């Protein structure tokens, strides 16, 4: 932390000495100039003036009027008559009248407030009873005038006889023209002011100006025509400010950057002064449209008393530079962090509200501001954080600010804030959730709180963060969120702590396999199993999940197991991990899980169906199906195909497979490991009377049925010649019977259709054929034979149309590409051709519009229908 310099003088002596110094530097204690609606000097009218005034030892009486300063301009005896100078070492209220000071209202409370002095670095207390006027009219930021006195009880300095002062400098809105009569002299000449003459109602006036009042970085010579605004103070003294050189033949060109755009106008941030200027799109002299951030060159003209940018041309990118960034990396502490709430940002008028204090190379303490775009990310900064940054200096007003701010790890050690850990559990659009180690509930976080700029978090990333509770006073609810998130190396975060290894127990409830990650909370998970054991001479029931078992074969009720006991940090509950079967009652074998696994019965079969995360196995006798989950598969499920031969162990029948049996420890076998019955000749023709249960889950039997005359033949997935073929009831087929009397090598006899691919959307597409009430025909990309990636809209395909018996909707299967899309000359879209035809018809003949409808003799509108000719002849 930074420490102030040692001082052996008393606080009261410091205040009196400071006041004496300020009084000596004054040339008139009332020479205080305030810009319209604002206040300047040590408490300036803008954040940039605030930073320009920072670091001045004595207050002085210089108050900026835009670019115009009246500090040393000799404008007459009435303004710059010297006041009496107090040369006594201390202030004597007996011999001298009270000195009135100026300040800014900094804070207003219930019955008192505080004033920030403009002429010295002091903050004085005042009571509302000392304000001369209606206290309801006093607002924060108002300029006031007061007398400094001392509290009788405490002896501390306070403000008394406080009065509100009105702005003393008024700028004319309209610009006037004049001629330079006296040039500015060089520095060190004593008088650095010039004179401009202008005529008003036959009377000639000579107005002073300084170098800071001239715009455009030009040097004015005697006789130059200029335009300017007139500044008038409360005493009626005039001065010229915002002086611009007017040369129609060779106008001064200015540079800037487009900072905002509306419908047909925008604003340019000027590179010569801290100011924005209006421009209309008609003044842009380039063909392409200007974009935000474009560097431009322009001239300034006055129209209707307002400055506008004209003759705008585009400059190469990087031509306009507003600031110079120092390459030196500085280290400092945050004095005032940014307010991150949207409502707080809206109420913040200071564009650079943050503050950082650091030690300069000359060992002086320097305070610099920063804004919301100066951080390397939008993470939360706190008071006292150690940061590293670069110092940027604005070329226009020499304002220094901190930029490229990054948080140092030392901040967490110095601040003493509690850091928690977790794993990224879910990611949404602009935020995500973290599974916390020490909390049961997940923690929300925003992406901008990640400290490492440009690093995107992914699911499963381990992080360290600080919890920022955000309390809502309206509902008194607390919704904490994670801030200042720092990624950690993999393996750093641990949710459980090891308690004991090699604990023995007996399974009292079996675990159910699930695709979800195991979670431990206050409510028991119904999928978890239970192990009864003795720990520290106490009988305990410890839960375990199926994913924490070492073997693919799940332990059954009554099996003796060996496991490691862990304690969950968030709930303080015990859980079992690394569960191994020591002795299985169902098999009567043991051996750490390995022997029991080998002694259990194994079966063989064929993959009959594949779904999302699970599938079904057709038994070797082709009579039934067995459910299996991909978590029970040895290896990757990406290589599985229909008809793949596998080996498996049979689990319980009431697991996650529903009513059918569940397969465990599924292992892929080489092709030909399961014998298949030989086929008989000749080929037979029949009709499908029952499909496979995979297509009709409501039927009781698994196998399908084909009828040939009075005989029937059953078939399974291995009976199909193409395993992806979908057979429906009533489909004619050709097949061969095998030695076991089952149908094999089944090929459906269907009518092939042709269509054109209308659209492809990811994993599915549509064909342009009349089906389902003249709508497009749906097809899945898995039904495309050959190269599915080569199929494009416009290609001709051949397919078979099937109808779902459940919902009656049709779809295409066995899609085969037969021809590519023909290459045609690029034609205009149909909607454009129709529009052109309509426009051509309108242009060919004049359009007739009814201006006034006719009225009949009886007052009715329009013409009546024409009567038949026979009726007219009859009359």
């Amino acid at each position: 932390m930074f420490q102030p310099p040692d001082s052996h003088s008393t606080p009261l002596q410091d205040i009196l000495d400071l006041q004496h110094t300020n009084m000596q530097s004054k040339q008139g204690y009332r020479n205080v100039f305030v810009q319209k609606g604002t206040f300047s000097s040590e408490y300036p009218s803008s954040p940039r003036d605030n930073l320009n005034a920072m670091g001045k030892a004595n207050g002085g009486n210089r108050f900026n009027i835009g670019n115009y300063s009246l500090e040393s301009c000799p404008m007459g005896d009435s303004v710059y008559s010297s006041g009496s100078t107090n040369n006594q070492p201390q202030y004597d209220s007996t011999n001298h009248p009270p000195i009135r000071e100026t300040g800014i209202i900094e804070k207003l409370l219930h019955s008192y407030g505080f004033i920030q002095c403009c002429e010295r670095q002091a903050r004085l207390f005042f009571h509302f009873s000392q304000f001369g006027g209606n206290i309801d009219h006093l607002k924060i930021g108002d300029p006031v005038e007061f007398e400094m006195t001392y509290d009788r009880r405490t002896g501390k300095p306070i403000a008394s006889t406080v009065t509100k002062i009105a702005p003393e400098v008024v700028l004319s809105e309209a610009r006037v023209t004049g001629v330079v009569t006296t040039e500015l002299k060089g520095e060190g000449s004593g008088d650095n002011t010039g004179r401009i003459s202008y005529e008003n109602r036959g009377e000639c006036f000579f107005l002073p100006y300084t170098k800071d009042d001239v715009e455009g970085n030009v040097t004015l010579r005697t006789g130059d025509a200029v335009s300017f605004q007139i500044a008038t103070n409360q005493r009626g003294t005039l001065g010229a400010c915002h002086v611009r050189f007017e040369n129609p033949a060779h106008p001064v060109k200015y540079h800037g950057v487009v900072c905002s755009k509306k419908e047909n106008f925008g604003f340019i941030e000027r590179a010569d002064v801290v100011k924005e200027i209006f421009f209309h799109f008609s003044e842009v002299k380039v063909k392409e449209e200007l974009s935000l951030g474009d560097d431009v060159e322009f001239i300034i003209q006055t129209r209707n008393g307002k400055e506008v940018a004209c003759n705008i041309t585009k400059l190469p990118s990087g031509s306009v530079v507003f600031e110079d960034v120092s390459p030196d990396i500085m280290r400092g502490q945050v004095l005032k962090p940014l307010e991150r709430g949207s409502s707080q940002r809206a109420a913040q008028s200071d564009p650079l509200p943050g503050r950082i204090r650091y030690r300069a190379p000359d060992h002086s303490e320097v305070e610099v501001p920063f804004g919301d775009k100066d951080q390397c990310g939008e993470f939360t900064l706190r008071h006292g954080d150690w940061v590293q940054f670069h110092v940027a200096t604005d070329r226009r007003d020499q304002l220094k600010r901190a930029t490229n701010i990054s948080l140092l790890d030392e901040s967490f050690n110095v601040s003493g804030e509690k850091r928690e850990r977790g794993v990224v559990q879910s990611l949404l659009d602009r935020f995500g959730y973290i599974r916390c180690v020490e909390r049961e509930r997940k923690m929300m976080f925003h992406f901008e709180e990640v400290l490492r700029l440009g690093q995107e978090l992914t699911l499963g990333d381990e992080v360290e963060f600080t919890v920022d509770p955000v309390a809502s006073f309206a509902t008194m609810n607390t919704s904490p969120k994670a801030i200042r998130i720092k990624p950690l190396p993999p393996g750093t975060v641990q949710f459980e702590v090891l308690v004991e290894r090699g604990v023995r127990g007996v399974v009292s409830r079996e675990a159910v396999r699930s695709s979800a990650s195991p979670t431990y909370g206050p409510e028991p998970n119904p999928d978890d199993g239970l192990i009864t054991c003795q720990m520290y001479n106490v009988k305990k029931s410890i839960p375990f999940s199926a994913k924490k078992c070492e073997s693919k074969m799940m332990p059954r009720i009554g099996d003796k197991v060996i496991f490691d006991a862990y304690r969950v940090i968030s709930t303080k509950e015990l859980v079992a991990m690394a569960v191994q079967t020591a002795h299985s009652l169902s098999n009567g074998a043991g051996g750490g899980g390995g022997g029991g696994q080998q002694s259990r019965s194994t079966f063989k079969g064929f993959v009959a169906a594949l779904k999302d995360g699970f599938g079904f196995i057709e038994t070797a006798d082709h009579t039934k199906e067995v459910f299996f989950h991909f978590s029970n598969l040895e290896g990757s499920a990406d290589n599985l195909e229909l008809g793949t031969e596998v080996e498996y162990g049979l689990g319980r029948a009431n697991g996650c497979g529903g009513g059918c049996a569940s397969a465990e420890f599924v292992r892929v076998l080489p092709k030909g490991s399961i014998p298949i019955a030989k086929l008989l000749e000749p080929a037979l023709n029949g009709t499908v009377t029952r499909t496979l249960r995979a297509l009709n889950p409501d039927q009781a039997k698994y196998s399908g049925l084909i009828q040939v005359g009075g005989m029937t033949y059953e078939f399974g997935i291995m009976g199909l010649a193409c395993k992806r073929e979908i057979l429906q009831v009533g489909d004619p087929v050709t097949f061969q019977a095998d030695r076991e009397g089952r149908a094999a090598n089944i090929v459906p006899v269907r009518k092939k259709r042709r269509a054109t691919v209308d659209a492809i959307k990811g994993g599915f597409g549509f064909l342009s054929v009349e089906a389902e009430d003249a709508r497009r025909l749906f097809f899945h990309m898995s039904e495309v034979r050959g190269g599915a990636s080569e199929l494009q809209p416009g290609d001709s395909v051949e397919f078979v149309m099937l109808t779902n018996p459940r919902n009656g909707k049709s779809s295409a299967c066995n899609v085969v590409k037969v021809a590519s899309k023909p290459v045609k000359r690029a034609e205009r879209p149909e909607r454009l051709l129709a529009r052109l035809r309509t426009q051509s018809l309108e242009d060919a003949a004049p359009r007739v519009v009814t201006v006034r409808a006719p009225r009949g003799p009886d007052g009715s509108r329009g013409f009546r229908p024409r009567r038949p000719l026979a009726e007219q002849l009859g009359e």
Side-chain angles (χ1 to χ4, degrees):
M1 298 296 293
F2 293 103
Q3 299 294 335
D6 296 334
S7 177
H8 301 286
S9 59
T10 62
L12 180 59
Q13 182 68 32
D14 292 339
I15 295 174
L16 296 178
D17 292 343
L18 179 59
Q19 184 185 22
H20 170 65
T21 305
N22 290 330
M23 288 189 293
Q24 284 184 332
S25 63
K26 292 185 179 180
Q27 295 299 322
Y29 66 89
R30 292 303 303 273
N31 292 345
V32 179
F33 298 96
V34 184
Q35 190 175 353
K36 184 178 181 180
T38 58
F39 202 75
S40 57
S41 182
E42 291 300 335
Y43 199 96
S45 60
S46 69
R48 294 184 176 272
D49 297 333
N50 187 15
L51 270 301
N52 288 334
M54 189 181 301
K56 294 184 178 180
N58 55 354
N61 61 342
R62 177 177 180 178
F63 291 82
N64 295 329
I65 310 172
N67 293 330
Y68 177 52
S69 174
L70 298 179
E71 180 182 17
S72 56
C73 300
M75 296 192 296
D77 299 336
S78 61
V79 178
Y80 285 93
S81 58
S82 300
S84 59
T85 304
N86 188 353
N87 295 323
Q88 297 183 7
Q90 293 188 3
Y91 173 69
D92 188 354
S93 60
T94 304
N95 300 327
H96 299 275
I99 294 181
R100 301 286 290 176
E101 299 186 35
T102 56
I104 293 292
I105 298 297
E106 185 184 48
K107 182 180 292 186
L108 292 175
L109 300 176
H110 179 65
S111 60
Y112 61 93
F114 292 91
I115 300 174
Q116 178 69 41
C117 299
C118 292
E119 302 174 6
R120 53 195 173 91
Q121 294 292 341
R123 182 172 178 262
L124 300 182
F125 166 91
F126 79 97
H127 196 269
F128 285 176
S129 60
Q130 295 293 325
F131 178 68
N134 189 351
I135 195 64
D136 295 333
H137 296 166
L138 194 61
K139 301 293 187 297
I140 295 177
D142 286 349
V144 293
E145 196 174 50
F146 61 93
E147 297 177 7
M148 191 195 78
T149 182
Y150 299 94
D151 191 292
R152 297 179 180 178
R153 183 174 58 86
T154 62
K156 294 182 179 179
I158 61 174
S160 63
T161 61
V162 181
T163 57
K164 186 177 179 181
I165 58 177
E168 296 181 355
V169 170
V170 180
L171 296 179
S172 61
E173 295 185 1
R175 298 185 67 85
V176 296
T177 59
V179 178
V180 178
T181 58
T182 304
E183 300 180 11
L184 292 173
K185 298 180 181 180
E187 297 182 1
S189 59
D191 186 6
N192 59 350
T193 61
R195 297 280 177 169
I196 299 175
S197 67
Y198 88 103
E199 185 178 350
N200 184 14
R201 298 179 181 180
E203 185 177 0
C204 188
F205 295 87
F206 295 85
L207 304 181
Y209 72 96
T210 64
K211 181 180 179 182
D212 295 333
D213 298 322
V214 181
E215 295 183 358
N217 296 324
V218 297
T219 302
L220 297 180
R221 303 298 182 187
T222 301
D224 288 344
V226 294
S227 65
F228 56 93
Q229 289 178 275
I230 301 176
T232 308
N233 67 2
Q234 196 173 24
R235 300 182 180 181
T237 306
L238 305 180
C241 63
H242 303 299
V243 181
R244 184 186 307 133
F245 179 47
E246 299 290 347
N247 186 359
H250 301 283
V252 179
K253 294 187 177 181
Y254 300 85
H255 291 177
V257 175
V258 179
C259 59
S260 64
K261 290 175 57 180
K262 304 296 182 182
E263 294 180 357
N264 54 4
F265 65 93
F267 290 89
I268 299 173
E269 184 175 1
R270 294 171 58 175
D272 56 329
V273 294
V274 185
K275 189 177 179 181
E276 294 180 1
I277 187 170
F278 170 89
F279 77 95
H280 195 273
F281 286 177
S282 59
E283 294 293 340
V284 180
K285 303 304 179 182
V286 292
K287 295 182 179 180
E288 63 272 13
E289 183 180 355
L290 291 180
S291 303
L292 293 178
D294 285 348
D295 297 345
V296 293
E297 186 180 60
F298 57 93
I299 64 173
I300 298 178
Q301 294 183 1
T302 303
R303 297 177 181 175
N304 298 328
K306 302 291 183 180
E307 294 181 348
V308 296
C310 304
N311 296 337
I312 304 172
T313 58
K314 193 174 180 180
L315 296 175
S317 179
S319 301
V320 180
V321 180
F322 291 103
E323 58 190 13
D324 298 318
V325 180
S326 173
D328 299 332
I329 299 178
M330 312 302 295
R331 291 164 54 94
Q333 277 188 295
V334 177
L335 293 182
K336 181 182 178 184
L338 301 178
E339 300 292 345
R340 286 299 177 184
S342 57
S343 60
Q344 294 170 335
R345 283 187 179 182
Q348 179 65 256
S349 59
D350 190 349
L352 302 174
R355 296 292 184 270
I356 294 177
R357 183 169 58 185
Y358 72 100
R359 194 175 297 279
D362 59 353
H363 302 289
S364 62
E365 294 178 3
V366 183
E367 184 177 324
V368 290
F370 67 94
D372 54 356
K373 296 182 180 180
D374 293 320
Q375 293 183 201
C376 296
E378 298 184 13
F379 52 85
T380 301
L381 283 178
R382 289 183 169 181
H383 176 78
D385 282 344
W386 283 96
V387 294
Q388 68 178 17
F389 58 94
H390 296 272
V391 177
T393 305
D394 198 308
R395 294 183 175 181
R396 298 169 291 182
D397 56 0
Q398 302 304 310
L399 171 68
K400 296 182 182 295
R401 65 181 179 90
T403 187
N404 300 332
I405 304 171
S406 58
L407 186 64
L408 298 176
D409 293 339
E410 304 170 15
S411 301
F412 305 128
N413 301 329
V414 175
S415 64
E417 60 185 286
K418 183 181 178 182
R419 301 285 287 174
E420 299 187 17
R421 294 182 176 183
V423 175
V424 178
Q425 189 178 36
S426 61
L427 295 173
L428 300 178
D429 185 19
R430 297 282 301 171
F431 61 94
Y433 289 92
I434 298 174
R435 181 191 170 198
C436 305
V437 173
E438 302 179 10
R439 299 172 184 262
E440 298 176 10
R441 297 182 59 183
K442 57 185 179 181
M443 185 75 61
M444 189 192 78
F445 73 96
H446 293 277
F447 292 165
E448 56 264 21
E449 287 291 345
V450 181
L451 296 181
R452 296 181 182 176
L453 184 64
Q455 179 173 353
E456 296 183 359
L457 294 180
T458 58
L459 293 178
D461 284 354
E462 301 179 9
V463 294
E464 184 181 61
F465 58 92
T466 302
V467 178
D468 181 23
V470 180
S472 174
F473 294 99
T475 59
M476 295 306 293
N477 292 328
T478 301
S479 54
K481 62 179 181 180
I483 60 174
R484 300 152 71 95
I485 302 171
K486 176 184 175 183
L488 297 175
T492 306
V493 178
Q494 299 293 333
F495 290 91
E496 303 88 8
V497 179
L498 177 64
V499 177
E500 188 176 350
R501 291 188 182 274
V503 183
R504 293 179 178 270
V506 178
V507 177
S508 58
R509 187 178 72 192
E510 297 183 18
V512 179
R513 290 193 179 273
S514 174
S515 58
S517 301
T519 57
Y520 305 102
E523 298 296 331
N525 191 343
D527 293 339
D528 288 348
L530 285 178
I531 300 176
T532 304
C533 64
Q534 291 281 342
M535 288 188 64
Y536 309 111
N537 298 326
V538 178
K539 185 178 181 180
K540 295 181 179 294
S541 294
I542 302 178
F544 74 98
S545 64
K547 290 194 172 184
K548 299 301 181 181
C549 296
E550 294 289 332
S551 172
K552 291 283 185 179
M553 304 298 291
M554 295 294 299
R556 311 289 180 83
I557 296 178
D559 288 354
K560 295 181 179 181
V561 293
I562 302 175
F563 63 93
D564 297 336
Y566 284 79
R567 187 180 302 277
V568 181
I569 298 177
S570 60
T571 61
K572 312 301 181 185
E573 299 290 337
L574 293 175
V575 294
M577 297 187 182
V579 182
Q580 299 181 2
T581 304
H583 181 76
S584 176
L585 295 181
S586 58
N587 298 317
Q597 183 176 316
Q598 296 175 357
S599 61
R600 291 183 178 178
S601 301
T602 58
F603 304 90
K604 296 181 180 181
F606 310 91
V607 176
L610 293 173
K611 306 294 182 181
D612 187 11
F614 64 93
F616 292 91
I617 299 174
E618 180 182 299
T619 58
D621 56 0
H622 312 287
T623 57
K624 58 183 179 180
E625 60 184 353
V626 180
F627 170 87
F628 77 99
H629 196 273
F630 287 174
S631 60
N632 291 318
L633 178 65
E634 188 180 275
S636 175
D638 299 336
N639 300 326
L640 286 182
E641 294 181 357
L642 296 179
T644 302
E645 301 176 18
V646 295
E647 184 182 55
Y648 61 94
L650 199 59
R652 57 188 180 282
N654 58 350
C656 52
C660 64
S662 177
E664 298 178 347
F665 196 61
V666 182
R667 184 170 61 91
V668 178
L669 297 177
K671 189 175 181 180
S673 301
I674 304 176
I676 300 177
K678 294 184 179 180
L679 302 180
L680 300 177
E681 296 289 345
L684 304 176
N685 296 324
T687 304
V688 177
T689 58
R690 187 179 69 205
T691 184
L692 293 175
R693 190 161 61 183
L695 301 178
N696 185 16
D698 297 333
Q699 69 183 29
K701 293 187 177 182
Y702 162 73
S703 59
L705 196 65
I706 299 177
Q707 185 173 1
V708 180
M711 299 183 62
T712 57
Y713 297 87
E714 290 187 349
F715 67 92
I717 189 66
M718 297 304 296
L720 301 177
C722 178
K723 303 300 185 290
R724 291 185 173 272
E725 196 70 62
I726 300 175
L727 295 183
Q728 294 182 317
V729 176
D731 286 348
V733 295
T734 62
F735 66 97
Q736 290 178 276
D738 58 14
R739 291 182 179 273
E740 297 178 357
R742 301 179 59 83
N745 199 18
I746 304 172
V747 178
V749 180
R750 293 192 180 115
K751 179 182 178 181
K752 297 286 186 178
R753 303 190 181 191
R754 288 203 172 192
T756 304
V757 178
D758 184 73
I760 296 178
K761 301 180 179 180
F764 61 93
F766 294 94
L767 303 179
S768 59
V769 294
E770 293 185 359
E772 301 186 14
D773 301 331
R775 288 187 295 178
R776 298 177 298 176
L777 186 64
F778 171 87
F779 73 95
H780 198 272
M781 295 301 291
S782 60
E783 294 292 338
V784 179
R785 303 293 179 260
S789 59
E790 299 178 359
L791 196 64
Q792 301 293 333
D795 292 347
S796 298
V797 295
E798 193 176 58
F799 66 97
V800 175
M801 189 170 68
L802 297 179
T803 303
N804 192 329
R806 286 186 165 186
N807 51 28
K809 293 184 178 181
S810 301
S811 61
C813 66
N814 295 338
V815 181
V816 180
K817 179 179 177 180
V818 295
S820 300
K821 176 183 178 180
V823 180
K824 296 182 179 180
R825 181 176 57 87
E827 297 181 356
R828 294 181 175 179
E830 181 63 26
R831 62 181 183 277
L832 182 58
L833 295 176
R835 183 177 179 183
L836 293 176
R837 286 194 295 269
T838 304
Q839 291 180 352
S840 61
L841 291 176
E842 292 178 353
D843 297 339
R847 184 170 57 180
V848 178
V849 179
T850 303
V851 177
R852 183 179 62 196
R855 290 181 179 271
D858 56 352
S860 61
R861 285 193 173 187
F863 296 102
R864 289 180 296 177
R866 185 175 182 180
R867 293 182 298 171
L869 181 61
E871 184 178 346
Q872 298 181 21
L873 294 176
E875 295 181 355

